Amino acid sequence: MACQWVILDADQARWTEVLEAPAQALREGRLVAFPTETVYGLGANAFDAAAVQGIYRAKGRPSDNPLIVHLADVQEVRKVASAFPAIAQRLAARFWPGPLTLVLPARPQLPRVTLGGLQTVAVRLPSHPVAQQLLRLANVPVAAPSANRSGRPSPTTAAHVFADLGDRIDYLIDGGPCLVGVESTVLDVTVTPPVLLRPGGIPKEVLEATVGAIEVPAPLQPGEHPRAPGMKYRHYAPQAPLLLLEGPFPAVVQAAREELWLAEQAGASTGLITDRAYAAQLSATVVRILGDPGETQAAAAALFDALRAMDQAGVDRILATPWPRRGVGEAVMNRLEKAAGGHVRRVGTPAEA
Ligand code: TXA
Ligand code: MG
């Protein structure tokens, strides 16, 4: 059965009326997809083990991958976390509501399934007004991963959610496209110094201005377990193989031309995910321009839709050009690397020049 697709009008005064039924559905253990500033989330009452089990089932998500618990108010942290260290409070005061997730010691009352078997809980307060209103009305902490089928790009529009999960959820709340476009930054504050588990909507250097140095785990060795269980899975995967190029502009242009030419010789259709400057130099079967060069915020907002568009067009190979690794560009490159499943080629390095 298809879900109820709830569209909000511009008149915020009417939201309460419209969101009351989905909020009640959450309290009663049903699944509700909702917009946040980062990506759409698939929510269930975090204290209802059967409801949370339903999230894993709907997404086809491995059960050792814990969920982020979403709260309406910072006062509610104590409902899910057994401690709220000073450093976490400083970060919360500065960045909540917003795209920052803090890993804290979990209250033992939280069901195992919400925590993926860990002793810690990931918590955030989203800044999207629809998410906030829904969470206030639901009046329960809401566990919500991104509302995509496991392994697909995260959804940044209601249509993306519907395509993946429309027949598996009770409500889909449409709040328009997500403005940030990549998921929240996940920071483990149970250790000193804090550890960056996932680059995201708030850049590491911005967090460091508030709390000092943040540790970045070394790349995983084969057989090693990552500290954010989700980071071990191949995420954001488009159906066609994706090659990410990295290097100075002229070298990337040259390498991209070669790749595109080779694909053409092989009779393969090509998709190009790029910025306006590269697009002026290259041609492919399907071209998605995410923004002007260096506009990392625009790239973040448009990235997942571009990956889905490549699937829809059914291209045989995808090529992506690089974005600067500063600001949210770090998260954009992280998601592209994951979509590439490790196929990253550095060109024009001193060794090659
Ligand atoms: O922006 C976001 O964070 C979105 C929106 C919906 O809020 N949510 C999201 O959830 O991206 P998800 O489930 O797709 O990603 C959660 C990430 C995973 O990599 C997971 O392993 C990690 O956070 N995580 C969750 N709980 C954790 C914990 N206790 N310790 C370490 N990592 C945790
Ligand atoms: Mg996800």
Side-chain angles (χ1 to χ4, degrees):
M1 204 190 69
C3 61
Q4 279 198 55
W5 188 322
V6 179
I7 297 177
L8 293 165
D9 61 37
D11 179 12
Q12 277 208 33
R14 285 178 34 84
W15 287 7
T16 304
E17 202 180 303
V18 177
L19 292 175
E20 192 47 70
Q24 185 177 345
L26 280 172
R27 276 195 302 276
E28 290 172 351
R30 286 180 283 147
L31 302 185
V32 175
F34 61 96
T36 82
E37 69 279 21
T38 57
V39 301
Y40 276 74
L42 174 58
N45 178 351
F47 280 102
D48 184 333
V52 173
Q53 205 61 258
I55 291 181
Y56 287 88
R57 219 173 19 248
K59 282 184 58 104
R61 180 178 174 109
S63 62
D64 66 344
N65 191 4
L67 308 179
I68 295 174
V69 177
H70 296 65
L71 306 173
D73 191 284
V74 69
Q75 301 303 324
E76 292 173 5
V77 168
R78 61 188 167 74
K79 291 188 188 167
V80 296
S82 61
F84 195 19
I87 189 171
Q89 292 192 34
R90 237 173 26 247
L91 287 163
R94 174 76 181 76
F95 297 105
W96 280 356
L100 173 66
T101 294
L102 297 175
V103 173
L104 299 167
R107 265 196 187 281
Q109 289 84 349
L110 271 174
R112 261 186 79 81
V113 44
T114 302
L115 306 177
L118 299 180
Q119 313 274 310
T120 51
V121 60
V123 184
R124 89 177 187 98
L125 265 69
S127 65
H128 195 295
V130 173
Q132 290 188 343
Q133 181 75 336
L134 178 71
L135 290 166
R136 267 196 299 273
L137 291 169
N139 199 27
V140 289
V142 171
S146 49
N148 51 283
R149 293 259 188 128
S150 210
R152 296 264 295 146
S154 291
T156 50
T157 67
H160 294 163
V161 180
F162 191 81
D164 277 17
L165 300 170
D167 58 345
R168 298 167 171 221
I169 59 181
D170 295 290
Y171 286 95
L172 166 53
I173 301 168
D174 190 341
C178 302
L179 294 181
V180 176
V182 290
E183 303 88 338
S184 61
T185 304
V186 180
L187 190 70
D188 185 351
V189 285
T190 64
V191 288
T192 313
V195 175
L196 184 76
L197 298 181
R198 177 176 75 182
I202 299 187
K204 170 173 164 278
E205 57 273 21
V206 171
L207 297 175
E208 284 180 325
T210 297
V211 293
I214 288 171
E215 192 185 309
V216 180
L220 283 186
Q221 300 305 311
E224 232 183 337
H225 290 290
R227 289 192 254 188
M231 300 306 274
K232 71 171 172 270
Y233 299 106
R234 181 166 179 240
H235 268 77
Y236 319 113
Q239 274 141 34
L242 185 152
L243 172 67
L244 171 61
L245 296 172
E246 197 169 11
F249 185 81
V252 169
V253 168
Q254 194 192 327
R257 282 192 180 140
E258 283 165 18
E259 274 305 313
L260 292 164
W261 183 83
L262 282 172
E264 199 183 305
Q265 295 305 301
S269 60
T270 50
L272 177 65
I273 298 179
T274 192
D275 70 27
R276 212 172 301 284
Y278 285 111
Q281 304 289 325
L282 302 168
S283 65
T285 319
V286 180
V287 179
R288 271 297 180 119
I289 299 172
L290 306 186
D292 284 331
E295 259 191 15
T296 52
Q297 193 55 69
L303 176 63
F304 288 137
D305 186 60
L307 289 171
R308 283 175 179 259
M310 293 302 162
D311 281 349
Q312 227 156 22
V315 295
D316 300 313
R317 299 184 197 175
I318 307 168
L319 199 64
T321 58
W323 294 84
R325 289 180 182 270
R326 60 179 142 72
V328 77
E330 185 64 47
V332 170
M333 289 299 280
N334 172 271
R335 305 310 188 262
L336 279 170
E337 283 165 1
K338 291 194 167 288
H343 292 126
V344 183
R345 190 185 304 157
R346 292 191 175 76
V347 294
T349 55
E352 274 180 49

